Amino acid sequence: MIWNQNKETMSREQMRALQGKRLHKVVSYVYHNVPFYRNRLQQMDITPDDIRSIDDIVKLPYTTKQDLRDNYPFGLQAAPQSEIIRIHASSGTTGNPTIVGYTRKDIEIWSECMARCLTAYGVTRDDIMSIAYGYGLFTGGLGAHYGVETLGAAAVPASTGNTEKHVRLINDLGITAIACTPSYALHLAETMEKMGIDKKSLKLRVGAFGAEPWTENMRTEIQQRLGLKGYNIYGLSEIMGPCVSYECSEQDGSHINEDHFFPEVIDPDTLEPLPYGSTGELVFTTLTKEGMPLLRYRTRDLCTLYQDQCACGRTSVKMGRILGRSDDMLIIRGINVFPSQVESVILSMKECAPRYLLIVEREGNLDTLTVQVEVRQEYFAQGFDTFEPIFKLEKELGAKLRSVLSISAKVQVKAPGTLERSQGKSKFVIDKRVLK
Ligand code: ADP
Ligand code: ZN
């Protein structure tokens, strides 16, 4: 089944013509409504009339996460505030979070893209889908939720946490589809097994897994342990949220909703666009967004674009799995964590030395973060060599980290000089998670 036959199976010529028309429109829109873009374009001596076809996209400037931060909170918003009906924020970034405002039309397009995606997974009006992405500022929960409702299936807003209760719901309600991170899916499987619930007694058959990198091996394991077919879903809040791209029945690469999000892959160092088939940094231009349209937004996600004759009948360009990121961001339990955020919290505590180590591990199927930090020599000499003050400091640091990172971390305060010193460049992060 295909949700939008016309858009999802367009010929290449038709798609390119549509993209060209929409690109001209969005460039003209930001030129007239976003001073940031008008200045950039004027500096480059470009007017909207210079953008006539989709090939002209290479003339346009890139937009970076830093540009969003510099213009926090609403500097890149193009629509008047009265047109904005929803505001999301990125999960966890250094400094200011990224704020994204959506108009009613944006929410409609987002919901349609989600409905396309769910239809490609084989979800129909008869399904009951639980959404175990976080509801809140994060785009995962509400984004998926609106898609399920648009499609006409029944949405169960389970959100994250309380896994046992969720397993019972899956069992009692006969839930047939689930949306969550792949690591949470494994955690769910583990909990189910511990509770003695046999997957054969459940009706689960479809999983929409994304928001973090995962592998074919993980897919095999999740499918086997939950007794469903697991599909990749990709997206980012700056561009829309989940469902910028989605897998189809072939489970082989994700179709991009390219009538709304135009994809490019570039060399992250030279910024030169790369041909299909090359691995590089993924860049998106929003072609229809009203709230916060972005030109050539650098996602920092590394992957490959390609076009094949997909057996599902869709003609859209596909992207491979995300192979990594061109920056140092960690994704822990679906939440972005920058080492520099941890550093700034540590440095705000007078007792802590600027010597720390982040250890990311996977216990069972849940990511854990341990922060080891050394106490300053002078405090150590004044009683911080005993249990009580250390324990108090660990608790205080833990609470601060939790409020800044939005996830909890295990804190271990160490004696001065105990953390390993490296030759040359210091190592602040050890990521022990192995994606099998
Ligand atoms: P931000 O916090 O920057 O707003 P989001 O919380 O919207 O970002 O998460 C977007 C990021 O999550 C993507 O840029 C990508 O790195 C990662 N991501 C999302 N879906 C997938 C997926 N299916 N596979 C790998 N990584 C993904
Ligand atoms: Zn396909």
Side-chain angles (χ1 to χ4, degrees):
M1 284 286 287
I2 295 181
W3 179 260
N4 188 331
Q5 192 76 31
N6 172 19
K7 293 293 182 325
E8 292 177 85
T9 63
M10 265 189 171
S11 72
R12 200 56 357 220
E13 298 70 45
Q14 279 176 321
M15 179 58 81
R16 285 174 49 77
L18 179 69
Q19 289 169 330
K21 214 169 81 196
R22 289 182 168 177
L23 183 66
H24 170 73
K25 211 167 146 194
V26 74
V27 171
S28 165
Y29 178 58
V30 296
Y31 189 87
H32 291 106
N33 293 286
V34 185
F36 165 84
Y37 277 125
R38 188 168 45 249
N39 293 340
R40 282 261 164 112
L41 292 167
Q42 280 174 347
Q43 275 163 16
M44 296 169 81
D45 212 13
I46 297 168
T47 70
D49 283 341
D50 295 321
I51 308 301
R52 286 284 150 210
S53 87
I54 193 63
D55 291 332
D56 292 326
I57 198 157
V58 296
K59 298 178 186 166
L60 297 172
Y62 292 111
T63 308
T64 63
K65 185 106 180 167
Q66 191 58 42
D67 293 328
L68 301 189
R69 285 192 200 130
D70 293 346
N71 291 280
Y72 174 86
F74 295 126
L76 292 188
Q77 192 169 295
Q81 198 57 42
S82 56
E83 295 299 314
I84 300 294
I85 63 161
R86 171 111 55 93
I87 294 172
H88 280 285
S90 63
S91 0
T93 41
T94 37
N96 288 326
T98 302
I99 302 295
V100 190
Y102 301 77
T103 65
R104 190 172 302 280
K105 189 174 148 229
D106 292 339
I107 299 285
E108 278 166 14
I109 288 174
W110 186 5
S111 307
E112 141 112 22
C113 289
M114 269 307 305
R116 290 182 189 179
C117 150
L118 295 170
T119 305
Y121 300 166
V123 178
T124 71
R125 297 170 65 92
D126 295 326
D127 280 292
I128 305 179
M129 183 159 204
S130 79
I131 295 149
Y133 285 118
Y135 278 69
L137 287 171
F138 175 50
T139 51
L142 281 172
H145 186 104
Y146 272 59
V148 174
E149 290 191 349
T150 299
L151 176 79
V156 181
S159 199
T160 48
N162 207 338
T163 312
E164 287 196 9
K165 182 172 164 197
H166 192 183
V167 170
R168 274 196 297 277
L169 276 179
I170 292 173
N171 186 60
D172 298 351
L173 274 53
I175 286 173
T176 50
I178 180 165
C180 61
T181 60
S183 52
Y184 190 75
L186 284 169
H187 179 61
L188 205 62
E190 209 163 59
T191 309
M192 206 175 85
E193 288 153 14
K194 268 198 206 133
M195 290 167 71
I197 293 184
D198 182 1
K199 68 174 181 199
K200 290 201 195 80
S201 66
L202 302 179
K203 295 206 178 124
L204 277 181
R205 54 179 200 85
V206 172
F209 303 130
E212 65 184 12
W214 57 310
T215 61
E216 276 312 311
N217 283 340
M218 277 174 79
R219 167 151 42 208
T220 309
E221 187 176 340
I222 295 170
Q223 295 194 145
Q224 200 254 324
R225 288 173 72 180
L226 284 179
L228 46 65
K229 259 187 111 175
Y231 299 91
N232 195 22
I233 177 165
Y234 167 87
L236 63 166
S237 52
E238 293 87 345
I239 295 303
M240 189 60 103
C243 85
V244 167
S245 73
Y246 53 95
E247 275 185 341
C248 59
S249 50
E250 302 309 302
Q251 293 181 307
D252 179 24
S254 298
H255 289 281
I256 296 172
N257 279 308
E258 54 164 328
D259 52 329
H260 298 297
F261 318 114
F262 184 78
E264 294 173 89
V265 156
I266 63 165
D267 180 322
D269 299 319
T270 65
L271 305 187
E272 281 302 310
L274 299 172
Y276 284 177
S278 322
T279 299
E281 180 179 344
L282 193 55
V283 169
F284 282 108
T285 298
T286 63
L287 296 176
T288 50
K289 210 136 165 255
E290 293 180 338
M292 191 183 76
L294 293 179
L295 304 181
R296 305 187 91 193
Y297 180 67
R298 295 183 56 187
T299 64
R300 297 157 301 160
D301 290 328
L302 301 173
C303 87
T304 308
L305 293 177
Y306 60 99
Q307 209 176 6
D308 62 6
Q309 281 239 313
C310 192
C312 75
R314 290 175 184 79
T315 51
S316 40
V317 166
K318 283 175 159 182
M319 54 185 262
R321 281 187 186 275
I322 303 297
L323 302 171
R325 300 189 55 109
S326 57
D327 62 13
D328 63 352
M329 191 187 77
L330 294 162
I331 301 182
I332 302 176
R333 271 176 259 152
I335 292 183
N336 297 354
V337 175
F338 286 87
S340 52
Q341 284 177 296
V342 177
E343 183 176 291
S344 66
V345 172
I346 286 173
L347 295 181
S348 74
M349 315 264 307
K350 58 184 186 324
E351 301 91 342
C352 296
R355 277 269 163 213
Y356 65 92
L357 182 66
L358 271 57
I359 303 168
V360 192
E361 289 167 285
R362 191 156 279 189
E363 270 175 25
N365 292 302
L366 271 193
D367 296 337
T368 62
L369 171 65
T370 304
V371 176
Q372 297 184 334
V373 59
E374 286 182 13
V375 66
R376 283 186 191 277
Q377 183 62 44
E378 57 269 39
Y379 284 88
F380 190 71
Q382 294 167 20
F384 271 77
D385 53 345
T386 56
F387 175 74
E388 211 176 305
I390 295 264
F391 182 66
K392 198 167 151 261
L393 180 57
E394 285 179 347
K395 240 177 95 181
E396 207 179 318
L397 191 53
K400 270 200 180 174
L401 284 170
R402 198 185 153 74
S403 83
V404 171
L405 305 177
S406 309
I407 59 163
S408 51
K410 213 185 295 172
V411 178
Q412 297 171 344
V413 172
K414 303 267 184 191
T418 38
L419 292 183
E420 198 188 318
R421 270 50 176 169
S422 63
Q423 301 289 318
K425 241 169 128 82
S426 259
K427 199 167 181 177
F428 296 114
V429 180
I430 298 180
D431 195 341
K432 292 187 181 164
R433 288 174 297 184
V434 184
L435 296 183
K436 287 176 275 178

